Amino acid sequence: MSETSTPAKPSALFVCVHNAGRSQMAAGFLRALSGGAVDVRSAGSMPAEQINPVAVEAMLEVGIDIRGEKPKVLEPVAVEASDAVITMGCGDACPYYPGKNYQDWELDDPAGQGIEAIRPIRDEIERRVRGLLTELGVEPVA
């Protein structure tokens, strides 16, 4: 393995049960706000068939398009490859690896909610993602 002068990009994994709302919105914000300076992953312990269309709509309102994302199953390798692991109500489904920055964000589940209920969840996710960027030492691009 050769030594390089470029430090590895920080990486983050967002996990919620269905990987259809909160974790996808958080991943969308981190991708957009980091401008590609952070490797972003999201997954769920029991992934849904598709992303919550109202979560997609809420993100489009702030100029972030997550329509192309698909819910993915949580794999231990994704946890192992991430510097920060943010759970959003996945409980004991997350494997633990020493040395990772684990955080549990208590957020309402947007499943089955209308746009009015999802907007404050989206805005809280953005606030927390901005805090995560600071922790990772990455300047937001917007």
Side-chain angles (χ1 to χ4, degrees), residues 3-115:
E3 291 292 315
T4 61
S5 59
T6 309
K9 266 202 261 192
S11 58
L13 169 65
F14 296 101
V15 181
C16 66
V17 175
H18 301 299
N19 189 219
R22 294 166 288 188
S23 56
Q24 293 285 0
M25 289 192 288
F29 273 122
L30 188 56
R31 276 189 204 96
L33 295 173
S34 74
V38 177
D39 280 332
V40 182
R41 300 173 183 88
S42 71
S45 51
M46 296 186 310
E49 292 294 311
Q50 65 179 34
I51 292 189
N52 178 337
V54 188
V56 169
E57 180 186 347
M59 293 300 287
L60 285 170
E61 287 182 350
V62 294
I64 298 173
D65 187 351
I66 60 172
R67 287 177 290 198
E69 298 300 319
K70 302 273 183 266
K72 293 167 282 306
V73 70
L74 176 63
E75 300 283 351
V77 68
V79 177
E80 199 170 9
S82 300
D83 298 313
V85 179
I86 294 89
T87 57
M88 301 170 166
C90 80
D92 296 331
C94 288
Y96 180 81
Y97 290 93
K100 303 290 174 198
N101 169 5
Y102 283 90
Q103 299 179 28
D104 186 45
W105 292 359
E106 292 285 329
L107 296 161
D108 291 336
D109 188 347
Q113 305 272 2
I115 190 76

